[in-house]
Amino acid sequence: MAEKMGKYSITMPRSLAEAAREVSGDAGLSAYIAGAVEAKVRHDRLGMFLAKYEELHGPISEERIAAAEAVIRRADAEQAERARTKVARQQGGAA
């Protein structure tokens, strides 16, 4: 079951709203902004988790940071490849 939606009023610079509208595509501005906010919330929660972790266990080592960055780079590359594959399929199917 899809999550219930709510309607909110937000204030942002007009140029930013127009830029978001330009790039939002068929999904629409609301979906684009919801995705951006979702990513920001995840980012902020991760930051809070890491701060708490370091408070309890001390700083995270450079080696662990490098390992995590490598995992993120691999995941980003895999996601980009899936997106390229999807676009190629869509373009091939449209021809």
Side-chain angles (χ1 to χ4, degrees), residues 4-5 16 21-22 27 39 45-46 48 67 80 87 93:
K4 187 173 183 177
M5 305 298 271
L16 181 58
R21 186 180 304 282
E22 279 181 29
R45 284 182 174 163
L46 177 59
M48 291 185 299
V87 168

Side-chain angles (χ1 to χ4, degrees), residues 18-88:
E18 291 306 317
R21 186 180 304 282
E22 279 181 29
V23 298
S24 64
D26 292 339
L29 184 59
S30 291
Y32 184 83
I33 291 173
V37 171
E38 181 181 22
K40 177 69 169 136
V41 167
R42 265 194 323 268
H43 178 271
D44 291 348
R45 284 182 174 163
L46 177 59
M48 291 185 299
F49 169 81
L50 291 174
K52 186 66 173 176
Y53 179 92
E54 288 189 329
E55 179 184 313
L56 296 172
H57 304 287
I60 299 170
S61 71
E62 291 297 322
E63 292 80 18
R64 286 193 169 194
I65 291 172
E69 288 172 340
V71 168
I72 291 168
R73 281 192 301 276
R74 279 193 305 273
D76 285 347
E78 290 170 4
Q79 183 177 13
E81 181 58 30
R82 284 192 301 274
R84 281 191 294 274
T85 301
K86 180 179 179 181
V87 168

